Amino acid sequence: MNDTNGLSSRINISDAVQDAANAELSVLGMTCAHCSTAIEETVSAIDGVRAVHANATSGVVHVAYEPSRTRIGAIVEAVERSGYRVGRETLRVPIDGIHCASCVTPIEEALTAAHGVLDATVSPATETATVDYLPSVADFGSIEAAIESAGYRAHNGLKQEEPDREAADREAEYRSLMRKFWFAAIISVPVLATAYPEFVPGLSGLSRTTVRWIWAVDALLALAVLLYSGRHFITGAVASFRRRSADMNTLIAIGTGAAWLYSVVAIAVPTLFPEGTAEAFFDVTAVVIALVVLGQALEVRAKGRTSAAIRKLLDLQAKTARVIRDGVEVDIPVEEVEVDDVVVIRPGEKVPVDGTVTEGASAIDESMVTGESIPVEKGPGDPVIGATINRAGSLKFKATKVGKDTALAQIVKMVRDAQGSKAPIARTVDVVSSYFVPAVMIVALLAFGAWYTFGPSPQLTYAIVVAVTVLIIACPCALGLATPMSLMVGVGKAAEKGVLIRNGEALQASRALNAVILDKTGTITKGQPELTDVLTSDGFAEIDVLRLAASAERRSEHPLGEAIVRAAQARELELAEPEGFKAIAGHGIEATVEERSILLGNRKLMTDRDIDFGPMAEGLTRLSDEGKTAMFLAIDGRPAGIVAVADTLKDDSSAAVAALHRLGLEVVMLTGDNQRTAQAIASQVGIERVLAEVLPEEKAAQVQKLQAEGKRVAMVGDGINDAPALAQADVGIAIGTGTDVAIEAADVTLVGGSLTGVVLAIDVSKRTFRNIKQNLVGAFGYNTLGIPIAAGVLYPAFGTLLSPLIAGAAMAFSSVTVVTNANRLRRYRPREA
Amino acid sequence: MSVDIILVDLAVIVAIAWVAWYFWLSEKEAVRAVAASGAQEVMIRVKGGYDPDVIVVDSGRPVRLHFDRQETASCSEMVVFPDFDVSRRLPEGELVTIELTPETPGEYEFSCQMGMLRGRLIAN
């Protein structure tokens, strides 16, 4: 569809008979009938525009024009000249095969001729086109089509995340706030000193008239603070007022503005007030703005730290890749690596993108992605993950996932989405905060009325001060920041350890769990059978039994056979070539190795051949108690030994189960194995409750059964076969397999594949949630105590009244406190598993 | 009770009633997203809030929201659509486009990360 868009526009342009094109422009700020008329007049004045209709309600301008006489760019410029912004975007498109300056012009021409493209520049040095276009008219498809029409190929190079942009934005905001703060702070000094001249040595003797003149100067100084340092409060308040809503800016703007206005009236027409009560408090305006701006600056600083996790992840990305192009190794920016490129990495280098090893062998440190600290051995056929570090050897691998598809890009996206998501608890807070600001305004008005009616003299002064204090002390920000800040830090921290929590909901559910179901195969165990025991009968050596069994199985593709071969290879045994290999379906195999006839299979095979393993019965019982699969080996018709194979435990499964128990969770094992095998594994890791002989399609029902017992259940599985069970569980935890990180059905994904991730996920969730609660209790407590005190409820009993300056300080630091408390989570270290 | 007190108290009552009406009870202006190039699109200015902040769309069809943040105040640096699990950073002066499809009719809230600035997507 996109391509046809591009095509049709080109046909329009080249066709002189039907020289007409239509465009719809999204225009920003066109909100009134007057604005739309103004735009219509400007645009219709352009030569070549046939008709124009601006719709103020939708913010869209429809233009019919003749492409031979004017360009869409000219129309957009005209709209922008009349003071409105048109929704336009810039795209950097990598183009293949620009080798010379002469390639530039045809591409630029094709691009600028394309419908909806405003401007295009092509750089042969970076082999990219920078295209300025109207997203409402053109899209990547049409831009791509235009490039192809010039004979070149565009590839959808993902715009790289810019980790520095965020930090730079924050830094700029911080510096701007600090400038505002210093301006307000410096001015506050004389304003504060002259506000109460009777208490300042040297000023106390001044006459009332002189003081009034000093206050007039203060009025101007405070106004400067209000308009420079406090500008964003006023513009913010006005903007939200227009939309019939109110926020923190409204409170600060009204509070400081009212204090200033009252003071101006008091010094301009003191006769309006009872004798001696015409007080000015410009200090409130200046000092409160200084404090609140300082608070905001500190908050920006602290907020920057909450997103440190994302920054760390983005910094992991390799900047360049060495690929083989036309038989030569070339270094290219990582964005330009394409699927199927062969990438070369040397020791110490970062793996640039995801791929599959084709040549070489090495150990790769994947800790940054999986949290697993031991380097992983890689050889041909093994997957490698981008951003991991090659330790020892050199490798060549074929890129399988690039750009936004790599594991790292998916992790970053998932963490970002999760950090921005809302925990259910935040929704409750949202309801409160949506009523909060107008409610505070009402409280301020009530306090004003009460002090004016019942308060001591001078009533008006008290009423104004109290109302201003109420407006200033109320801090909706602390309330609003409480949940998201902790969530950001908590989710980020988990991600650093290879635990991806999908959203706030998953986090809130995880902390309340009381049962965990672990799938056996691939979760508790490695999911791959391994040789565990070799028993021998009299006269046979262990090494011979293993060597002959492995040699016989050498050509076998049976998983049990492969396990034996792997074990023999691991012990560096020299394997012989089997002759006359024959698989006996359902029983075992038969072969001749080194001129000895080998029979390897189950007990039935041995019974059929009348080979008696009676003397080994004792060992056999032990093996089956341990849930192991026994294979019998007969050499030249005589019982030689038994090799046992079993799916072995992951190294840290027992520790993880113990840690889950310590967290107070019931641990249940789920498996398709028979009760005896299942029980054997369960007792090894310390699990008491076992659900055995469960068919794959029954897993979800088993989860449901446990939920029916009133338990909140987490299901841990591999994410592919277990999808329905993961979805059924309160929290579905998928064990990732390295490159496949964003598993759809899962609330939590463990990139590293270790069960300790489950412990970490639950533990981080608990800690984060506790942190959120602390923040909420603090923020709610602060407001519910602060506002009544500011309104003067303590005055009748204790004669205590809060100064608006103290209120300003309290307000400024309440939100900083919330962010700082959230940042405490960054120091989280996983418990000893 | 003197006249000025009665007048001030009356003024306070009127002001309270007005605050309650203006911020809570009055209808907000809604803007309809218009179909340009197939999708329903709307430009949203982010400055001390979302403008427009009530957007009416048709359910079941993709909606493209172009956010244009014209301020540096850190409050508005993220926009969150909790019902869609979508959150996006809004760098100042950069047009950020969020595309989503409300499958079922209803009201979908969006807000800044702290929930102070908020808007609604109404799907019919």
Side-chain angles (χ1 to χ4, degrees):
Chain A
M1 189 198 99
N2 295 335
D3 291 2
T4 28
N5 268 351
L7 273 177
S8 66
S9 66
R10 278 203 304 283
I11 290 166
N12 276 347
I13 288 160
S14 59
D15 194 338
V17 186
Q18 282 193 335
D19 185 19
N22 289 300
E24 286 175 345
L25 313 178
S26 307
V27 176
L28 203 73
M30 181 179 62
T31 44
C32 54
H34 166 75
C35 333
S36 55
T37 324
I39 290 176
E40 281 177 3
E41 280 172 5
T42 322
V43 174
S44 55
I46 302 171
D47 184 42
V49 171
R50 285 184 179 175
V52 54
H53 173 68
N55 184 336
T57 347
S58 63
V60 171
V61 177
H62 302 260
V63 196
Y65 66 101
E66 296 167 26
S68 59
R69 293 169 63 197
T70 187
R71 284 191 16 77
I72 188 77
I75 298 168
V76 170
E77 271 168 32
V79 175
E80 289 184 337
R81 257 203 320 277
S82 51
Y84 302 91
R85 263 182 91 174
V86 175
R88 48 157 84 189
E89 275 190 71
T90 306
L91 192 68
R92 247 185 98 237
V93 194
I95 303 177
D96 287 340
I98 312 182
H99 300 299
C100 54
S102 63
C103 319
V104 171
T105 325
I107 304 177
E108 282 184 354
E109 274 172 3
L111 277 170
T112 41
H115 200 37
V117 172
L118 301 174
D119 194 19
T121 46
V122 174
S123 154
T126 56
E127 298 196 8
T128 51
T130 309
V131 187
D132 200 13
Y133 72 106
L134 296 172
S136 55
V137 183
D139 55 16
F140 183 77
S142 56
I143 291 168
E144 193 179 26
I147 294 169
E148 277 166 20
S149 76
Y152 293 87
R153 203 163 73 80
H155 52 108
N156 197 351
L158 168 85
K159 273 192 279 181
Q160 278 291 303
E161 289 271 3
E162 299 167 63
D164 301 326
R165 171 74 198 261
E166 194 169 337
D169 280 359
R170 277 232 167 75
E171 189 54 34
E173 172 72 356
Y174 174 76
R175 267 193 258 118
S176 138
L177 284 169
M178 282 313 277
R179 269 198 306 277
K180 289 177 172 183
F181 162 70
W182 283 115
F183 181 77
I186 289 165
I187 285 187
S188 290
V189 175
V191 173
L192 193 60
T194 51
Y196 310 97
E198 57 273 31
F199 302 117
V200 181
L203 294 180
S204 51
L206 295 176
S207 76
R208 193 84 197 151
T209 327
T210 321
V211 169
R212 264 185 70 193
W213 280 110
I214 292 174
W215 280 350
V217 176
D218 285 353
L220 292 177
L221 290 175
L223 185 66
V225 171
L226 195 61
L227 294 185
Y228 173 69
S229 304
R231 187 187 175 76
H232 59 289
F233 299 126
I234 298 170
T235 52
V238 170
S240 60
F241 182 82
R242 283 219 194 103
R243 284 169 297 97
R244 295 176 187 257
S245 64
D247 54 22
M248 186 204 71
N249 294 324
T250 317
L251 295 177
I252 299 297
I254 297 180
T256 55
W260 187 84
L261 214 60
Y262 170 85
S263 308
V264 168
V265 174
I267 56 165
V269 264
T271 46
L272 277 181
F273 301 84
E275 183 59 36
T277 68
E279 292 283 334
F281 22 82
F282 294 112
D283 56 318
V284 170
T285 308
V287 175
V288 166
I289 288 178
L291 287 168
V292 175
V293 169
L294 176 64
Q296 286 184 323
L298 297 178
E299 193 184 305
V300 167
R301 261 285 146 88
K303 266 185 176 175
R305 285 194 280 270
T306 60
S307 53
I310 285 281
R311 222 189 128 75
K312 265 192 207 166
L313 285 172
L314 288 174
D315 284 344
L316 292 176
Q317 176 69 56
K319 302 283 176 284
T320 59
R322 186 172 305 125
V323 300
I324 298 179
R325 292 262 167 95
D326 305 323
V328 194
E329 285 186 17
V330 281
D331 281 339
I332 57 170
V334 69
E335 299 94 276
E336 288 173 18
V337 178
E338 288 183 67
V339 170
D340 288 343
D341 269 343
V342 175
V343 183
V344 184
I345 37 171
R346 304 205 177 112
E349 287 182 339
K350 265 184 193 170
V351 178
V353 295
D354 297 356
T356 310
V357 177
T358 52
E359 256 184 81
S362 179
I364 290 187
D365 176 4
E366 297 187 338
S367 60
M368 56 296 293
V369 178
T370 64
E372 180 64 58
S373 56
I374 304 161
V376 187
E377 296 289 335
K378 302 279 180 178
D382 288 333
V384 289
I385 313 173
T388 56
I389 294 173
N390 179 25
R391 285 280 175 240
S394 289
L395 284 178
K396 275 186 192 165
F397 72 90
K398 202 164 87 173
T400 53
K401 283 175 181 168
V402 299
K404 64 182 190 325
D405 300 323
T406 62
L408 184 71
Q410 285 184 61
I411 291 175
V412 169
K413 183 178 178 303
M414 209 170 146
V415 174
R416 259 196 205 289
D417 283 349
Q419 287 186 325
S421 72
K422 284 207 165 146
I425 192 170
R427 291 174 197 248
T428 326
V429 179
D430 277 356
V431 175
V432 175
S433 56
S434 69
Y435 288 99
F436 186 82
V437 176
V440 169
M441 289 158 75
I442 288 173
V443 170
L445 282 165
L446 283 173
F448 181 89
W451 279 84
Y452 194 84
T453 311
F454 308 109
S457 180
Q459 283 95 339
L460 185 58
T461 310
Y462 273 113
I464 275 283
V465 170
V466 164
V468 165
T469 312
V470 167
L471 290 175
I472 288 170
I473 204 165
C475 189
C477 271
L479 221 53
L481 283 168
T483 332
M485 285 299 120
S486 308
L487 195 66
M488 274 191 79
V489 183
V491 167
K493 196 76 209 177
E496 279 175 27
K497 308 280 177 202
V499 175
L500 306 179
I501 299 173
R502 186 168 293 276
N503 52 29
E505 210 171 317
L507 184 128
Q508 188 167 342
S510 300
R511 62 101 212 186
L513 291 171
N514 43 29
V516 180
I517 301 180
L518 305 175
D519 187 46
K520 193 205 85 176
T521 311
T523 303
I524 300 175
T525 65
K526 291 176 182 157
Q528 195 180 39
E530 273 180 29
L531 180 93
T532 55
D533 301 77
V534 180
L535 307 181
T536 51
S537 57
D538 297 337
F540 290 93
E542 190 178 309
I543 200 155
D544 290 330
V545 169
L546 182 58
R547 192 173 58 84
L548 291 171
S551 299
E553 288 280 12
R554 205 169 172 185
R555 297 279 161 258
S556 159
E557 281 168 7
H558 195 275
L560 298 179
E562 285 174 356
I564 295 171
V565 175
R566 267 199 312 274
Q569 281 166 347
R571 292 178 201 186
E572 291 174 1
L573 299 181
E574 192 88 12
L575 297 190
E577 194 60 34
E579 285 158 40
F581 176 85
K582 201 170 102 195
I584 310 160
H587 289 80
I589 57 156
E590 195 174 6
T592 307
V593 179
E594 293 169 356
E595 286 163 17
R596 302 170 86 174
S597 104
I598 305 288
L599 205 56
L600 182 66
N602 56 19
R603 165 162 285 191
K604 190 147 190 306
L605 180 70
M606 299 301 151
T607 320
D608 287 353
R609 303 288 173 101
D610 279 332
I611 300 168
D612 182 22
F613 275 84
M616 300 185 74
E618 198 180 315
L620 202 57
T621 318
R622 180 177 62 81
L623 289 179
S624 59
D625 279 345
E626 289 169 1
K628 291 170 183 164
T629 307
M631 291 166 81
F632 301 83
L633 178 74
I635 299 176
D636 297 330
R638 283 190 353 182
I642 297 174
V643 285
V645 167
D647 189 4
T648 53
L649 295 177
K650 289 185 186 171
D651 299 335
D652 47 10
S653 290
S654 304
V657 169
L660 286 171
H661 279 138
R662 275 201 299 279
L663 283 170
L665 292 138
E666 181 180 353
V667 185
V668 181
M669 188 177 94
L670 186 72
T671 175
D673 291 357
N674 64 51
Q675 190 71 38
R676 195 166 171 184
T677 314
Q679 200 63 55
I681 294 281
S683 58
Q684 277 180 56
V685 288
I687 296 177
E688 276 142 33
R689 189 162 170 186
V690 177
L691 303 171
E693 287 162 58
V694 178
L695 298 172
E697 57 271 25
E698 292 171 354
K699 284 181 179 173
Q702 291 291 341
V703 173
Q704 209 167 10
K705 234 189 240 173
L706 219 65
Q707 285 170 324
E709 292 174 22
K711 296 203 167 80
R712 283 183 298 267
V713 181
M715 168 77 202
V716 188
D718 64 12
I720 302 149
N721 307 319
D722 302 332
L726 293 181
Q728 171 64 39
D730 295 271
V731 179
I733 303 178
I735 297 221
T737 49
T739 55
D740 197 14
V741 288
I743 295 170
E744 281 294 327
D747 298 309
V748 177
T749 306
L750 311 177
V751 187
S754 151
L755 262 188
T756 47
V758 178
V759 183
L760 190 105
I762 295 170
D763 199 31
V764 165
S765 301
K766 278 183 194 261
R767 301 270 189 113
T768 306
F769 207 73
R770 198 190 313 152
N771 196 273
I772 289 174
K773 276 203 265 182
Q774 289 162 355
N775 280 343
L776 284 177
V777 167
F780 269 109
Y782 165 80
N783 280 301
T784 46
L785 282 178
I787 292 172
I789 292 174
V793 290
L794 296 182
Y795 188 81
F798 305 100
T800 320
L801 204 53
L802 211 57
S803 152
L805 303 187
I806 305 281
M811 187 279 175
F813 294 101
S814 62
S815 47
V816 180
T817 312
V818 164
V819 183
T820 310
N821 187 45
N823 267 325
R824 282 195 318 129
L825 279 174
R826 289 177 59 224
R827 294 205 304 266
Y828 170 81
R829 294 275 172 279
R831 286 159 191 249
E832 285 300 308
Chain B
M1 210 178 255
S2 58
V3 181
D4 66 309
I5 290 182
I6 293 171
L7 285 179
V8 165
D9 287 353
L10 276 177
V12 163
I13 290 167
V14 170
I16 289 174
W18 180 82
V19 166
W21 170 79
Y22 188 80
F23 292 109
W24 290 334
L25 304 173
S26 65
E27 262 310 302
K28 288 200 176 193
E29 243 179 81
V31 165
R32 229 195 131 72
V34 171
S37 70
Q40 311 178 77
E41 298 199 52
V42 75
M43 295 280 293
I44 299 171
R45 178 165 60 165
V46 184
K47 194 177 183 186
Y50 303 106
D51 183 18
D53 58 354
V54 181
I55 295 144
V56 181
V57 298
D58 290 332
S59 60
R61 291 178 48 214
V63 179
R64 257 191 226 160
L65 304 165
H66 305 288
F67 285 87
D68 180 18
R69 178 158 164 257
Q70 301 178 357
E71 64 179 359
T72 54
S74 69
C75 280
S76 57
E77 70 185 5
M78 281 257 244
V79 63
V80 184
F81 287 79
D83 300 305
F84 300 92
D85 264 351
V86 167
S87 63
R88 209 58 63 75
R89 247 175 51 77
L90 307 174
E92 194 217 353
E94 211 173 272
L95 204 65
V96 175
T97 303
I98 292 181
E99 201 169 300
L100 31 87
T101 308
E103 293 297 347
T104 48
E107 283 201 15
Y108 303 93
E109 281 234 327
F110 60 93
S111 66
C112 70
Q113 209 185 9
M114 297 152 48
M116 284 313 300
L117 317 175
R118 51 184 69 226
R120 271 178 301 156
L121 193 67
I122 301 171
N124 291 325

